[in-house]
Amino acid sequence: MADAAVMPGFPRAAAGAKAAVRARPGIRFDRVTVAYRSTVALADFSLDVEPGEVMALLGPSGSGKTTALRTVAGFVTPTSGRVFLGDTDVTSMPAHQRGIGMVVQQYALFPHMRVEQNVAFGLRAAGASRATIAPRVTECLTMVGMAAYARRYPHELSGGQQQRVAIARALAIRPRVLLLDEPLSALDAQLRSGMLNEIARLHRELPDVTILYVTHDQVEALTLADRIAVMNDSRLVDVGTAQSLYQQPPSDFTATFVGNANLVPVTVEAFDAARQEARVRFAACSVVVRANGGVTPGERRTLCVRPHALALEPPAAGANAIEARVVEVQWRGSAHRLYLEIDGIELRADSKPLREPPHRGERLIVHFAAHDATLLAAAQADRGSADHRG
């Protein structure tokens, strides 16, 4: 495990190539392909992660995100393409020379070492003094709520506790490049939220740390990342800030994976270039939506509107109003999820908890503002509406 990065102020464990790697800690993938015989795990992957940036690789299982991370760590050698840390080509460099901190799903703790020894491992490899190691180990264990378990062995801990120790070990060395592979998957909801805050705090305190964060959890990506790289079927789909991908998704896959989305095939009726708005039609509904970049009347597009944007309250001036039939109502504690149907098209609407929720079969009016909906690129229109009941 390549945890032995140099902590600021510590002697360098290696010179030459390793020192060059650490001079500029950004990450660059240059058309990286990883294939195992006839199976392509990562296809023609190009991505620049800026120095000090938090980049989330977000996608479903099998999308290639962990393979991409492992090529940076040095655990996977690309079939073709190059990997750079800063200006240094590390494609063929051994993992232990890359100066990278890493947390993986499988904990990867040393079973013969106590918790405190595991956390101290990278510090000792970096040549830190015993007087420096002890308080840093205590600080990191306290950070993840494991200070009381310092003398235990990994087999005496639960899976979630082991992962918290692994996170503490990665944080202890203050790495310039930090790779996180689903690091919170073993934690319960409360601990996950706390660790998200701690990782965010780490980045605020050490803004020169470059973080590559692999996850399938959109909340983690939206919370932590400066930018998100959306992946599917071993390929990069879209890249952008969390806000841009959420508010103006470039593709239907991103629209449904970065937050829930209603995707509805529509036909453009008119376009107002001054307001960058279009009037579109689906079923018997004619609505006005945002159309940045322009559209052509008669063109087929896909309307994207988030469930939370569909409101039951009376509309503000200029808002769209559509009539729908209630198919199902789900109470989710902090909200009611309504499944609605309009001439065979299903929509989902999220509402604050309703004292008297509507009944199945009831007809009601939902509203949304033009700026709360957008049109996806024409190339996405023929894929139809994606339904993820989440």
Side-chain angles (χ1 to χ4, degrees):
M1 183 170 180
D3 276 343
V6 179
M7 188 172 175
F10 288 0
R12 295 187 183 275
K18 185 175 179 180
V21 169
R22 295 179 54 76
R24 185 177 182 274
I27 303 168
R28 179 159 63 94
F29 298 88
D30 181 15
R31 304 190 66 176
V32 173
T33 293
V34 176
Y36 305 101
R37 297 184 179 179
S38 60
T39 301
V40 177
L42 190 64
D44 199 28
F45 183 73
S46 293
L47 179 69
D48 289 345
V49 185
E50 295 299 321
E53 181 177 30
V54 180
M55 174 70 77
L57 301 183
L58 178 66
S61 298
S63 61
K65 55 189 187 295
T66 293
T67 300
L69 180 140
R70 288 173 64 83
T71 64
V72 178
F75 301 151
V76 171
T77 300
T79 306
S80 62
R82 315 300 293 174
V83 178
F84 294 82
L85 293 182
D87 297 321
T88 303
D89 185 341
V90 299
T91 310
S92 302
M93 182 180 291
H96 69 275
Q97 293 183 7
R98 299 190 184 194
I100 290 174
M102 185 170 180
V103 177
V104 298
Q105 291 175 292
Q106 296 80 15
Y107 322 134
L109 300 178
F110 300 109
H112 62 287
M113 293 184 181
R114 299 182 189 273
V115 164
E116 61 187 0
Q117 294 171 322
N118 266 281
V119 176
F121 179 80
L123 298 172
R124 289 198 176 96
S129 67
R130 183 175 300 178
T132 304
I133 291 174
R136 180 60 181 164
V137 168
T138 300
E139 177 187 356
C140 290
L141 287 175
T142 300
M143 184 186 303
V144 299
M146 292 295 292
Y149 299 84
R151 300 289 295 169
R152 294 195 183 184
Y153 288 96
H155 73 269
E156 298 175 305
L157 306 177
S158 69
Q161 290 172 332
Q162 291 183 48
Q163 187 66 310
R164 289 156 68 187
V165 173
I167 292 173
R169 179 173 60 183
L171 298 182
I173 61 173
R174 302 188 191 274
R176 299 289 300 280
V177 173
L178 181 61
L179 307 179
L180 303 175
D181 186 5
E182 303 276 10
L184 310 183
S185 59
L187 305 183
D188 60 35
Q190 184 175 359
L191 287 173
R192 185 181 300 118
S193 176
M195 284 309 305
L196 278 172
N197 292 334
E198 293 300 338
I199 295 171
R201 182 176 65 83
L202 167 73
H203 189 241
R204 290 195 301 271
E205 293 179 354
L206 300 173
D208 61 337
V209 174
T210 303
I211 299 178
L212 193 62
Y213 191 102
V214 165
T215 183
H216 66 274
D217 188 314
Q218 59 179 278
V219 173
E220 293 180 18
L222 292 171
T223 300
L224 290 175
D226 297 311
R227 289 191 299 153
I228 299 173
V230 182
M231 301 183 67
N232 191 38
D233 292 335
S234 305
R235 294 183 178 275
L236 180 65
V237 178
D238 292 308
V239 182
T241 64
Q243 188 172 11
S244 67
L245 293 180
Y246 188 86
Q247 294 181 345
Q248 300 182 51
S251 65
D252 55 358
F253 181 82
T254 295
T256 56
F257 207 84
V258 182
N260 294 311
N262 295 297
L263 298 183
V264 181
V266 297
T267 300
V268 177
E269 294 184 315
F271 174 60
D272 185 334
R275 298 175 62 90
Q276 288 290 289
E277 292 180 346
R279 178 166 292 279
V280 301
R281 175 172 294 277
F282 68 96
C285 303
S286 182
V287 296
V288 175
V289 300
R290 180 173 52 194
N292 295 335
V295 292
T296 303
E299 188 177 352
R300 296 278 295 169
R301 287 293 189 106
T302 295
L303 170 66
C304 173
V305 58
R306 303 290 182 182
H308 70 81
L310 295 175
L312 301 181
E313 293 80 10
N320 297 295
I322 56 178
E323 183 178 355
R325 181 178 64 87
V326 177
V327 176
E328 183 180 349
V329 179
Q330 295 178 352
W331 180 64
R332 301 189 172 191
S334 61
H336 270 101
R337 164 64 61 87
L338 308 181
Y339 290 90
L340 310 171
E341 185 268 334
I342 305 173
D343 293 342
I345 297 173
E346 185 180 275
L347 298 177
R348 291 155 293 160
D350 288 338
S351 170
K352 63 184 180 181
L354 301 170
R355 183 169 300 177
E356 297 182 5
H359 302 288
R360 292 180 182 177
E362 184 177 336
R363 303 195 72 84
L364 48 74
I365 303 295
V366 291
H367 318 278
F368 66 95
H371 61 77
D372 285 332
T374 190
L375 295 178
L376 301 186
Q380 307 297 326
D382 294 334
R383 299 184 186 180
S385 178
D387 180 20
H388 294 279
R389 293 206 170 196

